[in-house]
Amino acid sequence: MFFTPDDAGHMGVMMHNWPRENCQVIVVTDGSRILGLGDLGANGMGIPIGKLALYCAVGGIAPHRVLPIMLDFGTDNEALLNSPSYRGYRKPRVKGEEYYRLVDEFMQAVFARYPGVLLQFEDFSSDKVGSERRRPPPASNLLNKYRERYLCFNDDIQGTGATVLAGVLGALRLQRRPPEDIRSLRVVVVGAGSAGIGVAQALHMAMQQAGGSPKSAYNNFYVLDQHGLISKSRFATLSEEQMSFARADMEDGLSLEEVIDKVCAGAARTLHGL
């Protein structure tokens, strides 16, 4: 299904256009950050379809009980806007309060139609732009807004984090170390987007469950973005989630090599490219 800004006020009715009375899983994207390709607008529909194919092939969910959805709220990709073959909503991407009003109507429509459905947010932007810089990016903002109200999760933030956590715990087992040793690991995360911060959050939670305090667990992390190590001196441009992992004891912008030389001394467990 596709929803556009022109459908405002009608999304609840539109949900009844889907002919199935039972739906178990919905994967929804707004096409704003598709893999490493960026803003693909309505052309990002392949991602919800592909993810739901995994639910069916691997999870055993019947294909007629899943629903891929595109929130086609425009695109800022000039090549698409100027392409005569582009089939999406041919306007600049909706942002700000209007964007969140549309998503809110969509969420209410979905769960009014299918109260027990699991909704997966997929490939929403983790960037803050323009007048939105003081607000968390859509990926984390939508998750924080709806996670306590609806059965939903963000795959880029939580799914990636859970997968990496499983890998870390498996590595500890192969080293014949108890899982509680996770609280003493020092972790370098290269990439401070939704996936990288999601990984850091999952590992931080596991460190606390293993007996570490929140503060001591945060001190185990060194998060880098394209400008280098994130420190608290950059508070004006960081999201709340990024700020939690910013260092107060190190210089901002250190390179990966400098971070390892200064604090990890060969003992780092590093994650690249997220």
Side-chain angles (χ1 to χ4, degrees):
M1 294 188 71
F2 290 78
F3 292 88
T4 75
D6 293 342
D7 299 318
H10 305 287
M11 294 184 187
V13 175
M14 290 177 63
M15 281 303 302
H16 287 270
N17 291 339
W18 191 251
R20 304 297 181 181
E21 291 302 315
N22 181 279
C23 184
Q24 291 181 289
V25 184
I26 289 173
V27 176
V28 60
T29 185
D30 66 357
S32 58
R33 192 200 63 83
I34 300 298
L35 303 176
L37 303 175
D39 185 350
L40 295 189
N43 292 346
M45 177 53 112
I47 293 297
I49 293 172
K51 290 300 178 78
L52 287 170
L54 293 175
Y55 277 99
C56 298
V58 181
I61 296 176
H64 64 277
R65 292 180 176 169
V66 300
L67 171 57
I69 293 180
M70 164 63 64
L71 299 181
D72 184 11
F73 295 167
T75 178
D76 292 331
N77 187 323
E78 291 294 332
L80 294 178
L81 291 173
N82 296 324
S83 172
S85 62
Y86 182 59
R87 302 291 296 274
Y89 189 72
R90 199 181 290 272
K91 291 184 180 180
R93 183 171 291 280
V94 172
K95 300 181 178 71
E97 293 301 328
E98 183 183 0
Y99 175 87
Y100 288 103
R101 280 196 300 270
L102 289 168
V103 175
D104 204 47
E105 180 183 347
F106 165 74
M107 294 294 287
Q108 293 179 49
V110 164
F111 285 92
R113 178 76 167 99
Y114 301 117
V117 73
L118 168 65
L119 185 142
Q120 173 179 323
F121 293 109
E122 184 68 36
D123 284 350
F124 282 73
S125 176
S126 59
D127 296 327
K128 299 186 292 181
V129 295
S131 61
E132 294 288 289
R133 295 200 68 86
R134 298 304 298 175
R135 187 202 296 265
S140 56
N141 201 28
L142 293 176
L143 177 62
N144 293 338
K145 182 176 182 179
Y146 296 118
R147 66 193 304 172
E148 302 296 334
R149 295 165 54 187
Y150 301 117
L151 180 60
C152 64
F153 77 103
N154 183 296
D155 186 42
D156 305 290
I157 298 173
Q158 296 166 294
T160 305
T163 301
V164 172
L165 173 58
V168 171
L169 293 174
L172 288 174
R173 183 172 61 183
L174 287 175
Q175 295 175 353
R176 301 185 184 277
R177 299 170 63 184
E180 292 78 16
D181 277 6
I182 193 172
R183 64 176 181 248
S184 63
L185 297 183
R186 288 176 290 176
V187 183
V188 177
V189 182
V190 183
S194 58
I197 294 299
V199 166
Q201 289 173 328
L203 294 176
H204 179 265
M205 185 180 300
M207 290 174 182
Q208 291 186 78
Q209 293 176 345
S213 68
K215 182 177 180 180
S216 65
Y218 279 125
N219 285 337
N220 289 335
F221 289 89
Y222 306 86
V223 178
L224 294 84
D225 64 5
Q226 69 270 32
H227 305 296
L229 181 70
I230 290 176
S231 78
K232 294 191 182 297
S233 65
R234 247 195 278 174
F235 70 93
T237 61
L238 299 178
S239 68
E240 181 179 350
E241 290 81 5
Q242 292 170 327
M243 194 64 184
S244 298
F245 293 96
R247 303 294 303 193
D249 58 343
M250 296 179 66
E251 180 184 348
D252 186 75
L254 292 178
S255 69
L256 175 62
E257 293 80 5
E258 290 171 325
V259 169
I260 293 176
D261 287 343
K262 283 180 176 292
V263 298
C264 295
R269 275 60 176 175
T270 63
L271 170 66
H272 276 271
L274 295 177

